[in-house]
Amino acid sequence: MDDFYQFLWKEHLLLTQISIFDPNWVQRKYPFNELLIKIALMRTLQSVFFAVFIGIPLFVAAQEDFSLSGNLETNVNFYLRDPEIGAINTPQYEHQQIGFETWLDIRAQYSGFEFGMRYDIFNNSALLNPQDSYTAQGIGRWYAGKKIGKLSILGGYIYDQFGAGTIFRAYEQRPLLIDNALVGVKLTYELSDDWTLKGIGGQQKNLFDVYSSVLTGFNIDGYLAIGEKGLSLAPGLGIMHKTLSDDQMESLAGTLSSYTPEDFIPEAPYNTIAVSLYNTLSLGRFSWYVEGAYKSEEVLYDNYATRTLWTGVESEGKFVLTDGYVLYTTLSYAGGGLGISGQYKRTKNFVFDADPFAAQNRGMISFLPPMTRVNTYRLTARYSPATQFLDEQAYLLDVRYALNKRLSFLVNVSHITRPDATVNMNIYDELYTQVTWKKPKEWTLIGGVQFQNYNQELYEGKPGVPPVKTITPYLDFLYKFDRKKSLRVEFQYMNTKEDYGSWLYGLLEYSISPHWVFELSDMYNVAPNNKGGVEEKKIHYPTAGVVYSAGRTRYALRYVKQVEGIVCSGGICRLEPAFSGFRFNVSSSF
């Protein structure tokens, strides 16, 4: 222990030896060396990190009520240039060759207190922008909390949401590098066993910085049991307030000053208020959730609004001043082997971001639930629609029926439109069917067919392309040789005349529990779409990999050749370029 504190003291001495004053300060506005200031601050953060997460745990490790845990996730990509599939013209393919991301979480609990810190590393990473490279590292999250009676206090980087997240959801989705943590404080008070009051305040995280707007919010929700027939209500109310910073307002004013009189906005509000009211009604086998949200006027960017330039030419996309609303509801029934769920959502101008200039899925304060089935098979998930915040009306129906323990059926229907649009009104339709037949402890057979109508022009920003119409039958067979060994086989065929054309996909996955999984797959462009009258080449996109698990640690190594396509998480999507190379992943918890 003495050696450890001697180490901290040496770090402190090294820090004090750094001079932040620049000897050539006469020629500068401020007599400080900015680089050395950054070095000094980094040394300070390192000392605090070691003291809090190593020194304190060692000091109190003997205490019975102390616990320490954490987890690690590392993704490494080795890029192999492949002009045939379009895996070129990014920094990784042209000269960097290797990129990786790492997240290291440490959590501690002691005497009713909870602490946590996460260190994030991005080196030549394509997560921020698939067409570019991002390199940075630092403390991606920290928090400290304590419960005092009925009051819970949490400060730092906070993940939470109000209701379904319509007006506020702070969350993380690493595949898209979405990390919308609220950097601030949260107070939660238990009014009773069934009612909770919550207040938040702070700024939204922006990589290793924060957006300059200020967010405050209030939420109350609870539970009411009515009568003795199983009737219950779970109502809630949420309010969010956003204030733009002076810098954001100056940037907005500068942009608006270039608009013609017919598009000019004379006064942009600093403050925006969003309110949501929601409730879940449960009665027997029925459950009904409904949420309505309204957002006051603010200046937001409308991709589809027409702007008139000073030359008289019209262009698409401009800032507009408008309010917005969302109505979302779901009604479900479950019982007797039958499950039915119906959903409806209407969205109008509900862009609620921490910065009016935020782009590429960044700065989102709100979260609107997706209104399509989350498909997991390679080809059925190839065309996934992103949530539309400006104008969307969506219906979803899901019906499941289990005839017995061996045989079950599923039908899912989705329909999405833009009611206020003059073009691209019908943007997505899907009919998904599935039959599951199994012999318990021996084998499981899953099969079905998917029909899609996907507006590629709208969802992927490809002007003039026709909607993609697909028919995709699929089979998934799992056979268990014994308690440890199993083989899973997938077969899928997508028939379409649009985009890249028709596809054939096959997968073999052999598992030896509890340690090994071996996988081999191929996605074959069996009938390519001959664009512009030029005959396209039939290309294979193979993947081969091995996964090894040891306790709480999992290692995965794969060779991947992947076609360009949409990647989605929770209705938030983006177009990913083709990939060629190796991928290595390590995930561990301790």
Side-chain angles (χ1 to χ4, degrees):
M1 182 64 70
D2 292 339
D3 291 339
F4 172 74
Y5 287 109
Q6 288 177 10
F7 163 74
L8 289 183
W9 178 248
K10 288 172 64 178
E11 288 289 305
H12 169 71
L13 291 178
L14 181 58
L15 173 63
T16 58
Q17 292 172 7
I18 297 175
S19 173
I20 65 174
F21 288 93
D22 190 337
N24 301 317
W25 67 271
V26 177
Q27 301 176 2
R28 299 166 60 90
K29 184 177 180 181
Y30 301 104
F32 299 106
N33 186 314
E34 297 176 1
L35 177 60
L36 290 181
I37 290 176
K38 293 180 179 179
I39 295 174
L41 290 174
M42 183 57 70
R43 286 284 183 178
T44 302
L45 288 173
Q46 288 175 346
S47 298
V48 171
F49 180 87
F50 281 114
V52 172
F53 291 98
I54 297 180
I56 292 177
L58 289 175
F59 181 74
V60 300
Q63 305 298 322
E64 293 183 357
D65 57 351
F66 172 76
S67 66
L68 184 66
S69 61
N71 60 273
L72 168 75
E73 181 180 352
T74 295
N75 303 317
V76 185
N77 294 315
F78 302 86
Y79 293 87
L80 300 177
R81 199 171 185 271
D82 190 342
E84 185 179 52
I85 67 171
I88 54 174
N89 297 331
T90 68
Q92 292 89 344
Y93 288 116
E94 299 307 318
H95 59 273
Q96 292 176 346
Q97 296 184 338
I98 298 177
F100 72 89
E101 306 92 31
T102 294
W103 297 267
L104 174 62
D105 274 293
I106 302 292
R107 298 176 294 274
Q109 293 181 329
Y110 175 67
S111 191
F113 290 90
E114 57 177 331
F115 307 93
M117 184 176 287
R118 190 186 73 220
Y119 197 79
D120 299 349
I121 303 175
F122 304 96
N123 282 352
N124 302 335
S125 172
L127 284 184
L128 180 62
N129 181 354
Q131 299 292 345
D132 204 352
S133 177
Y134 174 59
T135 296
Q137 62 178 294
I139 296 175
R141 186 194 184 200
W142 65 265
Y143 65 89
K146 168 70 173 176
K147 186 172 183 180
I148 307 170
K150 295 185 177 182
L151 177 65
S152 296
I153 305 170
L154 183 63
Y157 291 67
I158 299 164
Y159 298 118
D160 205 340
Q161 70 180 54
F162 295 169
T166 303
I167 64 169
F168 172 70
R169 186 185 184 196
Y171 69 108
E172 182 188 21
Q173 288 287 358
R174 292 179 183 175
L176 297 178
L177 197 56
I178 295 175
D179 190 351
N180 294 339
L182 178 75
V183 185
V185 65
K186 179 179 74 170
L187 302 178
T188 306
Y189 187 80
E190 298 177 1
L191 297 172
S192 67
D193 292 340
D194 298 325
W195 286 87
T196 302
L197 192 64
K198 185 189 305 178
I200 60 172
Q203 296 172 286
Q204 189 182 94
K205 180 185 177 185
N206 179 20
L207 299 174
F208 293 104
D209 201 348
V210 293
Y211 289 102
S212 56
S213 58
V214 175
L215 307 176
T216 53
F218 162 85
N219 180 227
I220 182 172
D221 52 28
Y223 176 81
L224 294 171
I226 303 174
E228 299 179 355
K229 296 184 178 181
L231 176 63
S232 66
L233 302 176
L237 169 69
I239 302 174
M240 282 297 298
H241 182 278
K242 177 182 71 175
T243 302
L244 295 181
S245 68
D246 291 338
D247 289 342
Q248 288 175 324
M249 186 57 71
E250 287 177 7
S251 298
L252 192 57
T255 300
L256 295 176
S257 65
S258 66
Y259 283 13
T260 57
E262 56 190 283
D263 296 324
F264 182 68
I265 300 173
E267 186 175 354
Y270 268 92
N271 300 290
T272 305
I273 298 176
V275 180
S276 70
L277 185 64
Y278 54 91
N279 180 61
T280 300
L281 183 151
S282 300
L283 178 61
R285 295 178 174 180
F286 289 92
S287 179
W288 179 33
Y289 177 83
V290 61
E291 179 170 1
Y294 173 79
K295 178 175 65 72
S296 64
E297 281 192 339
E298 70 168 321
V299 175
L300 56 89
Y301 192 78
D302 187 340
N303 297 2
Y304 310 108
T306 301
R307 177 188 171 191
T308 303
L309 304 179
W310 289 97
T311 59
V313 177
E314 291 187 342
S315 66
E316 195 172 68
K318 68 175 181 179
F319 282 100
V320 298
L321 177 64
T322 182
D323 58 356
Y325 66 87
V326 174
L327 175 63
Y328 172 71
T329 184
T330 175
L331 178 64
S332 60
Y333 169 88
L338 176 65
I340 303 175
S341 177
Q343 299 181 46
Y344 171 80
K345 184 177 69 176
R346 176 69 174 106
T347 306
K348 178 68 175 177
N349 296 328
F350 211 85
V351 177
F352 193 36
D353 293 342
D355 191 308
F357 294 94
Q360 295 183 348
N361 300 327
R362 307 205 60 78
M364 297 179 295
I365 301 171
S366 63
F367 172 83
L368 303 185
M371 291 294 290
T372 58
R373 172 184 167 82
V374 180
N375 293 310
T376 56
Y377 293 116
R378 184 68 186 88
L379 294 185
T380 61
R382 175 157 172 75
Y383 298 108
S384 298
T387 299
Q388 301 298 298
F389 295 86
L390 290 169
D391 181 23
E392 183 183 73
Q393 182 167 263
Y395 306 86
L396 173 67
L397 178 64
D398 187 272
V399 180
R400 303 164 185 259
Y401 181 68
L403 187 65
N404 50 49
K405 293 183 178 181
R406 298 187 58 183
L407 186 61
S408 60
F409 305 90
L410 179 150
V411 177
N412 184 283
V413 182
S414 301
H415 177 60
I416 304 176
T417 64
R418 297 196 305 147
D420 297 329
T422 55
V423 294
N424 292 324
M425 293 181 61
N426 297 315
I427 55 178
Y428 188 74
D429 288 288
E430 179 183 9
L431 171 61
Y432 185 95
T433 65
Q434 181 174 293
V435 178
T436 302
W437 183 29
K438 59 184 177 181
K439 185 175 182 180
K441 300 181 180 181
E442 291 190 22
W443 53 265
T444 300
L445 177 64
I446 300 173
V449 61
Q450 177 202 53
F451 302 87
Q452 275 183 311
N453 188 346
Y454 171 86
N455 192 310
Q456 191 175 32
E457 179 180 19
L458 177 85
Y459 287 119
E460 299 182 18
K462 297 182 176 180
V465 299
V468 179
K469 300 177 181 179
T470 71
I471 303 176
T472 309
Y474 62 93
L475 285 173
D476 181 352
F477 181 69
L478 172 66
Y479 183 79
K480 297 180 180 179
F481 298 98
D482 52 41
R483 295 182 62 183
K484 290 188 175 183
K485 299 175 184 178
S486 65
L487 176 67
R488 191 167 72 90
V489 180
E490 281 187 25
F491 173 81
Q492 301 155 44
Y493 172 71
M494 174 182 284
N495 179 271
T496 180
K497 296 180 179 180
E498 292 77 37
D499 198 20
Y500 281 81
S502 298
W503 294 92
L504 190 65
Y505 178 83
L507 166 73
L508 292 175
E509 184 180 274
Y510 182 67
S511 300
I512 306 174
S513 180
H515 298 299
W516 294 97
V517 177
F518 302 91
E519 56 189 44
L520 179 65
S521 68
D522 186 26
M523 184 171 167
Y524 178 44
N525 198 185
V526 62
N529 182 12
N530 298 324
K531 301 176 182 178
V534 179
E535 185 174 351
E536 296 290 339
K537 186 178 180 180
K538 299 179 180 180
I539 301 177
H540 288 271
Y541 293 83
T543 296
V546 57
V547 179
Y548 177 73
S549 300
R552 296 182 178 181
T553 302
R554 181 179 181 272
Y555 307 89
L557 176 63
R558 295 180 176 89
Y559 166 75
V560 179
K561 193 172 182 180
Q562 181 175 295
V563 67
E564 172 194 86
I566 288 291
V567 174
C568 293
S569 181
I572 307 301
C573 306
R574 73 179 180 194
L575 183 65
E576 295 276 357
F579 178 84
S580 172
F582 290 89
R583 285 177 169 164
F584 177 67
N585 171 268
V586 179
S587 58
S588 181
S589 59
F590 49 88

